[in-house]
Amino acid sequence: MVSPRRGILRTPLNRGHFVCLFDPRHVRLGARPSKRTYLAQEHVIVSYNGDLRGTVEDRLGVERRVRCSVASFSAIGAIVDGSQLVATLPDVFAAQLVRQRPHLRSAPFPFAHPAGGMDLLWPAALDGDDACAFVRAAIIDIAKQRSSV
């Protein structure tokens, strides 16, 4: 599927719901955070363009206290670990981070939100490149294996 912006292609990798990831040694979010408790926290977000607005702000129209943004989910665990920051991310990523860092916790996202997911994105200019196609196919295969576990 081609994105109307900047010739970016995408394919879905997985679908799920948002959860909150936090370090209970530094954040008192609770097992089922209220909207008020969630919004009172400081947040880290994943932003591909480096800004401090995310899906929560854009789709739900609420404002969080976003303190930093990172370009990928791979950095979230290290940032949340030992900090007062809360990350809102797809449940599949949170589960993996909790397996890697068992002292972290996840809690339900306190806002009604439709199921979403993670898409694999790539520039349309590289769509015909054999090496890139090989890597994309491997990533898609891994995502399918993970979702069936």
Side-chain angles (χ1 to χ4, degrees):
M1 170 192 313
V2 179
S3 172
R5 297 193 300 176
R6 296 181 231 132
I8 300 295
L9 301 174
R10 67 177 59 221
T11 191
L13 293 177
N14 61 47
R15 291 292 174 251
H17 294 279
F18 280 141
V19 297
C20 304
L21 182 74
F22 62 100
D23 188 332
R25 300 172 300 179
H26 302 281
V27 175
R28 300 290 176 243
L29 199 58
R32 298 200 68 76
S34 68
K35 293 175 184 177
R36 182 178 181 192
T37 301
Y38 172 82
L39 292 173
Q41 306 303 315
E42 295 183 338
H43 296 263
V44 55
I45 66 168
V46 174
S47 172
Y48 303 115
N49 58 9
D51 65 4
L52 297 178
R53 290 188 60 82
T55 300
V56 172
E57 287 77 16
D58 293 341
R59 293 199 179 163
L60 301 177
V62 297
E63 293 296 322
R64 293 177 291 177
R65 295 173 27 194
V66 177
R67 297 299 182 227
C68 69
S69 69
V70 295
S72 76
F73 289 107
S74 63
I76 291 291
I79 291 172
V80 168
D81 193 347
S83 80
Q84 296 179 348
L85 298 174
V86 174
T88 303
L89 66 164
D91 53 4
V92 66
F93 289 106
Q96 179 65 29
L97 291 171
V98 170
R99 279 192 294 275
Q100 293 170 353
R101 299 167 186 266
H103 54 278
L104 297 182
R105 295 290 176 264
S106 66
F109 181 59
F111 292 88
H113 192 274
M118 180 57 61
D119 293 347
L120 175 63
L121 307 173
W122 68 94
L126 295 177
D127 195 46
D129 183 274
D130 290 339
C132 291
F134 174 81
V135 171
R136 283 194 308 273
I139 291 170
I140 292 167
D141 185 51
I142 291 167
K144 285 179 184 175
Q145 290 174 23
R146 293 269 179 180
S147 67
S148 65
V149 173

